Amino acid sequence: MDVPTADALVVVDVQRAFVSGAEAVPDHLGLQAAVALLLERARAAGVPVVLIQNDGMPGAVDEPHMPGWELHFPPLAGEHVVRKTEDDGFDGTGLNELLTASGVRTMAICGMLSEMCLAATARTAMAIGYGVILPHDGHATYDVPPGPGGSEGVPAHLAARAAEWSLGDEVVIVPKASDVSFARRQAS
């Protein structure tokens, strides 16, 4: 498979409550390692890094300015934090304007939750013309509990895989964060 080169990294909702403590997603350590590697590689290449931060409702684990709301990987100088209140990182934010101003055409995306905020943001990115690369080990979610009518629960790793599949043929899914290459776009 020919994997395009990403000219930006978008990290979705990698906040303390979701990657540490009692509320952490399954295999949160594996997710942390994958995101850390993506950040290291994007930063080394000098591409735009955007950290999306969810503002949860009062009382939620990601309520603004509470410990669980803090980003697990703080931004470095020159990196951008986009705060959101909806699943989609583009909805009601300046994310598209930020990416457009930076000349981004193809982004690597990582974070959580696979079937919610990450998928919603990836779908919008593709709908408005961005290429999207999603490393399989770079996103996570929770176990899905049993549902009505006696339906079985779904383990988190299968729910994450189903979320990847639901993004369709336009997304480029790679096995590992180490499969993603970053490079600054040349001015046209």
Side-chain angles (χ1 to χ4, degrees), residues 18-183:
F18 307 126
V19 293
S20 62
E23 299 290 328
V25 294
D27 193 26
H28 59 280
L29 297 178
L31 176 66
Q32 288 176 28
V35 174
L37 178 61
L38 290 164
L39 283 165
E40 177 185 316
R41 296 179 85 174
R43 289 167 172 164
V47 303
V49 172
V50 180
L51 301 145
I52 298 178
Q53 184 174 30
N54 192 66
D55 287 348
M57 301 294 290
V61 296
D62 59 350
E63 177 182 349
H65 310 291
M66 299 303 284
W69 171 79
E70 297 294 330
L71 293 169
H72 183 74
F73 297 100
L76 299 183
E79 295 179 347
H80 304 278
V81 176
V82 173
R83 291 176 59 184
K84 66 178 183 61
T85 57
E86 303 298 328
D87 286 352
D88 181 354
F90 289 92
D91 189 359
T93 72
L95 180 58
N96 188 43
E97 293 78 7
L98 178 64
L99 295 171
T100 300
S102 298
V104 173
R105 292 200 182 153
T106 302
M107 70 179 72
I109 190 168
C110 61
M112 61 188 70
L113 296 171
S114 302
E115 76 285 9
M116 295 173 86
C117 299
L118 180 118
T121 302
R123 272 192 194 89
T124 297
M126 291 184 292
I128 57 180
Y130 294 103
V132 175
I133 303 166
L134 175 61
H136 176 73
D137 65 347
H139 65 100
T141 192
Y142 294 104
D143 294 333
V144 178
S151 66
E152 296 179 28
V154 179
H157 72 281
L158 294 178
R161 176 63 188 123
E164 289 175 350
W165 181 255
S166 75
L167 292 173
D169 294 338
E170 291 180 39
V171 68
V172 176
I173 300 170
V174 297
K176 297 179 185 263
S178 59
D179 297 325
V180 179
S181 297
F182 294 94

